[in-house]
Amino acid sequence: DTLCVGVSQPARIYQITLAAASPGEPWAELDASYVWGMKVDRDGLLWVGTGEPGALWRIDPAGQSESVYAGEDAHVRTVTLAPGGGVFVGTSGQGLVLQVDAAGSAFVLLDSDFAEITGLGVLGDDLWIAGNAAATPAAGANGNSNGGGAGGSAGPAGGVYRIDVTGGTELVWSSATFGLHSLAVVDSEVLVGTGSEGKVLRVAAHRAAGLLVDLDSEQIVAMIALSEGALVVGSNAAAVYRLRAETRDADSVVTAVRDAGVVATWGELR
């Protein structure tokens, strides 16, 4: 088995195997500063989202790369495979979600209310999307996105959209407190990682979110679904956690208390 690793400043892809003592020379060199997201499709093609410029690259098994999409935004922040071929990508700047087909044709699925799209996941026929109000810095010492605090009076700090098979879009859940840095579909559930306080939240289709686990790291920057459970990557402090399928802490309310000032009915408990 081979592990593909992306490094930044400049953007390079290395291949690491169990037999190799070191990664050696870069497998692919991209004309960009940052590597943000990578996915391998069923044909063995590696799709890579980069920053500065914001572009989507496709690399064949021989290491030959080509740019298949370049937009106005400075960063292509996240990449996930589309069920019918090609990929979905999310950008930082305008917070766009696009579908890019195998031929490289791109069209916008969502122009979100957030500055950046930090996570994408497919569950059934639906595409789930994590948005973050604080855009990726144009430059940084390590290329990390570190915005994740409160959104302030201008709007929520983070939120989750769902796009169904008809193209209908819904903002399923948002938070004035937590920016979102990652999203993954794990064991048929949608999980998001926060940009502060190290929380992994479970988001339900009926506009609710519950706390799944509270970790020691401040930011949850990536989650990788396994056959059962997931790997969760944190920063500040840097750590990798194993989230097992049996991890099921009791849900708790994570949104702020809303005082309507009058008697009001807002929903129901389930």
Side-chain angles (χ1 to χ4, degrees):
D1 292 338
T2 301
L3 176 68
C4 291
V5 177
V7 301
S8 297
Q9 296 184 322
R12 299 289 184 264
I13 310 297
Y14 292 86
Q15 285 193 329
I16 299 175
T17 64
L18 293 176
S22 65
E25 295 297 317
W27 176 61
E29 300 182 2
L30 307 179
D31 188 15
S33 294
Y34 303 107
V35 174
W36 286 113
M38 299 188 294
K39 288 291 183 181
V40 178
D41 68 15
R42 59 193 174 196
D43 296 322
L45 300 173
L46 179 67
W47 298 78
V48 183
T50 64
E52 297 185 357
L56 176 69
W57 303 77
R58 186 169 53 199
I59 307 175
D60 68 19
Q64 298 299 310
S65 62
E66 61 174 330
S67 175
V68 295
Y69 166 79
E72 296 179 359
D73 283 355
H75 301 269
V76 170
R77 188 69 171 76
T78 183
V79 180
T80 199
L81 300 178
V87 293
F88 300 114
V89 301
T91 72
S92 177
Q94 301 176 80
L96 303 177
V97 177
L98 304 99
Q99 184 169 2
V100 183
D101 65 20
S105 298
F107 58 95
V108 176
L109 296 176
L110 173 67
D111 184 353
S112 78
D113 294 329
F114 297 96
E116 70 173 351
I117 302 301
T118 55
L120 298 167
V122 176
L123 178 58
D125 293 328
D126 297 339
L127 176 64
W128 290 77
I129 301 153
N132 193 48
T136 299
N142 55 15
N144 287 332
S145 171
N146 52 25
S153 59
V160 177
Y161 292 92
R162 180 180 59 184
I163 301 178
D164 65 25
V165 69
T166 69
T169 302
E170 175 188 17
L171 180 62
V172 175
W173 176 81
S174 64
S175 172
T177 304
F178 299 117
L180 301 180
H181 279 197
S182 55
L183 179 148
V185 174
V186 179
D187 300 327
S188 298
E189 294 184 321
V190 177
L191 306 184
V192 293
T194 65
S196 60
E197 301 186 22
K199 299 182 185 299
V200 177
L201 308 177
R202 181 168 44 206
V203 180
H206 56 271
R207 296 177 175 268
L211 177 64
L212 182 62
V213 65
D214 195 344
L215 302 174
D216 293 334
S217 298
E218 184 70 9
Q219 291 93 26
I220 305 303
V221 296
M223 292 185 288
I224 303 168
L226 305 174
S227 57
E228 292 186 355
L231 294 178
V232 178
V233 182
S235 64
N236 294 333
V240 178
Y241 306 87
R242 175 71 182 267
L243 183 64
R244 300 189 182 278
E246 62 268 22
T247 302
R248 291 293 183 267
D249 294 339
D251 285 352
S252 60
V253 176
V254 297
T255 56
V257 175
R258 305 294 185 185
D259 185 357
V262 295
V263 177
T265 300
W266 285 347
E268 60 183 15
L269 295 176
R270 298 185 181 183

